[in-house]
Amino acid sequence: MKIAFLFAGQYRPIPKELLRHSIQNLTKGIDYDIFCYSWDELGESLDHREDIPKIKSDNDSYKQISSIFSEFNLKEIHTESYDDFIINLPKKHRIILNSKIYHRGTIFALPQIYTLSKCYKLLNNDKAKYDLIFRCRFDSIYLHPLKIYPLRKFLNSSTLYNINFGRAYYPNRVYDIFFGGSNKSMSFLDQIWNNIPHLVENNLNNGQDKRDACRLFYVAAITNKVEIKSFKTRICDIYRPFKDNYYEQYLISSHLLSLKFDISVLKSIPYFIKWFFYRRINLIKFTLITVRTIFLIPLSYLKRFKYFLKIYKK
């Protein structure tokens, strides 16, 4: 069984040793290749912002990506100018990108989907070689191997798996930081860029902005008759370079494990413990955050009613 990892989006520097350790975690014990597609220019994290950050045009992301990923099974890498992408946008896509009717926080959806669709097309000549395909982000950090999941069960399935549980849960979406499955379940990426205008205008109401990437991935997948399911462990999340183990605190408070236990949950626990030792997280702080998170679980489930009320009102 061979797996393709599609790393797509804007590249921003993360400490090299941390990123290497993360990729080693993800790929441990599997046969895989990595494909990368990004902008020529480096940038900052695009998540949770309402304005496009300034792109550092004096840096070359190709060199940095090549330097790090060449230590792994890097099959192909491509970058292009973000400015050229904006200039060459099709008319309908440009209208969607520049429209004020959508939430400003979704301004990054189109660039994100574009780079992923282009990364997926890097597989065109060798797609039959890969049994499973997974979408990754350059700014995600992976805490345990992919192999803890029952990967062989994914092979002939049209189910797409993402991380959508715990405090990060949102109904009827594909959480865009990490998802994948069989060739069949990921085939919707082939035409997703061309279909953007139709996906935006689709009548599906999940409570998110119509331009939100998570909604667009969901609509594209179910339109292609793909079933959506969630993993039961938080294999990764977006890394932000704040002090005091912010990343680990965020992971714990978002729930490391789903309450719907399966064998992958049990397999993941030793890796999470190993990660916290690797990151030298304070044991007292870890315990306090964990206890607080457990007590707040009922509130996280109550929050789901708010989502469904939002959908109902729309």
Side-chain angles (χ1 to χ4, degrees):
M1 180 170 58
K2 198 171 184 69
I3 298 171
F5 292 109
L6 309 181
F7 281 81
Q10 187 163 37
Y11 179 78
R12 68 180 180 92
I14 290 177
K16 185 174 182 179
E17 285 306 310
L18 182 63
L19 186 54
R20 286 185 72 256
H21 188 80
S22 163
I23 300 172
Q24 286 172 346
N25 279 345
L26 174 67
T27 59
K28 183 178 180 181
I30 59 175
D31 185 12
Y32 72 95
D33 284 326
I34 290 177
F35 296 80
C36 297
Y37 202 101
S38 186
W39 308 116
D40 292 335
E41 307 86 2
L42 296 175
E44 301 173 6
S45 174
L46 300 185
D47 197 52
H48 301 310
R49 292 172 180 258
E50 295 186 355
D51 297 299
I52 297 178
K54 292 181 180 179
I55 293 176
K56 303 174 183 178
S57 58
D58 59 335
N59 288 300
D60 185 358
S61 63
Y62 186 97
K63 292 179 181 178
Q64 294 206 28
I65 295 171
S66 298
S67 173
I68 291 175
F69 283 84
S70 62
E71 301 175 28
F72 302 94
N73 297 351
L74 179 60
K75 181 75 171 179
E76 193 166 349
I77 175 176
H78 188 87
T79 65
E80 68 173 271
S81 166
Y82 183 80
D83 289 338
D84 288 347
F85 161 74
I86 295 296
I87 292 170
N88 296 318
L89 270 176
K91 182 179 178 180
K92 289 183 178 180
H93 291 65
R94 184 185 304 278
I95 291 171
I96 294 169
L97 181 69
N98 296 327
S99 176
K100 304 299 182 184
I101 68 173
Y102 306 112
H103 191 279
R104 293 175 65 191
T106 64
I107 190 68
F108 318 112
L110 267 64
Q112 176 190 168
I113 292 172
Y114 174 81
T115 55
L116 179 55
S117 69
K118 296 289 280 188
C119 195
Y120 180 76
K121 291 184 185 300
L122 295 178
L123 293 173
N124 278 349
N125 295 330
D126 298 311
K127 197 176 296 180
K129 287 174 52 178
Y130 299 101
D131 302 291
L132 301 175
I133 303 170
F134 287 88
R135 177 273 201 277
C136 305
R137 281 177 50 154
F138 290 110
D139 55 358
S140 286
I141 295 294
Y142 295 87
L143 285 79
H144 68 67
L146 183 68
K147 70 175 184 178
I148 73 163
Y149 299 128
L151 299 179
R152 294 203 172 274
K153 291 184 178 180
F154 299 175
L155 291 178
N156 299 313
S157 168
S158 59
T159 300
L160 185 74
Y161 292 87
N162 71 129
I163 306 170
N164 193 28
F165 68 88
R167 201 179 74 172
Y169 171 81
Y170 200 97
N172 300 328
R173 72 153 180 180
V174 172
Y175 192 17
D176 60 351
I177 65 169
F178 181 74
F179 60 81
S182 66
N183 250 302
K184 183 178 180 181
S185 68
M186 291 288 275
S187 62
F188 71 92
L189 293 177
D190 189 52
Q191 294 299 319
I192 191 170
W193 176 247
N194 293 332
N195 292 338
I196 286 288
H198 302 295
L199 300 175
V200 170
E201 292 304 317
N202 187 281
N203 291 327
L204 175 86
N205 170 28
N206 71 341
Q208 292 182 309
D209 187 84
K210 292 178 74 70
R211 193 176 60 179
D212 191 287
C214 298
R215 175 189 176 273
L216 296 177
F217 284 130
Y218 183 85
V219 175
I222 63 170
T223 302
N224 210 40
K225 298 181 180 179
V226 172
E227 183 183 10
I228 312 296
K229 288 186 178 180
S230 177
F231 290 120
K232 302 299 188 294
T233 71
R234 201 161 302 284
I235 183 175
C236 69
D237 215 310
I238 306 304
Y239 176 77
R240 306 193 196 289
F242 300 126
K243 296 180 180 180
D244 300 323
N245 294 110
Y246 172 86
Y247 176 66
E248 286 73 25
Q249 292 182 52
Y250 178 79
L251 285 169
I252 297 169
S253 63
S254 295
H255 304 170
L256 287 171
L257 307 170
S258 170
L259 294 181
K260 299 177 181 179
F261 268 55
D262 63 12
I263 190 64
S264 65
V265 170
L266 296 176
K267 288 182 177 180
S268 71
I269 293 174
Y271 290 104
F272 286 130
I273 294 173
K274 187 177 179 180
W275 176 267
F276 292 131
F277 276 112
Y278 169 73
R279 293 281 287 169
R280 298 179 181 177
I281 187 170
N282 182 282
L283 182 60
I284 295 175
K285 180 185 291 185
F286 169 80
T287 304
L288 290 175
I289 297 170
T290 302
V291 171
R292 183 185 66 185
T293 299
I294 292 172
F295 276 109
L296 291 177
I297 284 177
L299 291 179
S300 68
Y301 277 85
L302 285 173
K303 188 171 69 173
R304 298 186 181 188
F305 287 105
K306 181 184 71 174
Y307 295 149
F308 289 110
L309 284 174
K310 186 178 179 181
I311 295 171
Y312 177 77
K313 287 179 181 179
K314 283 192 175 183

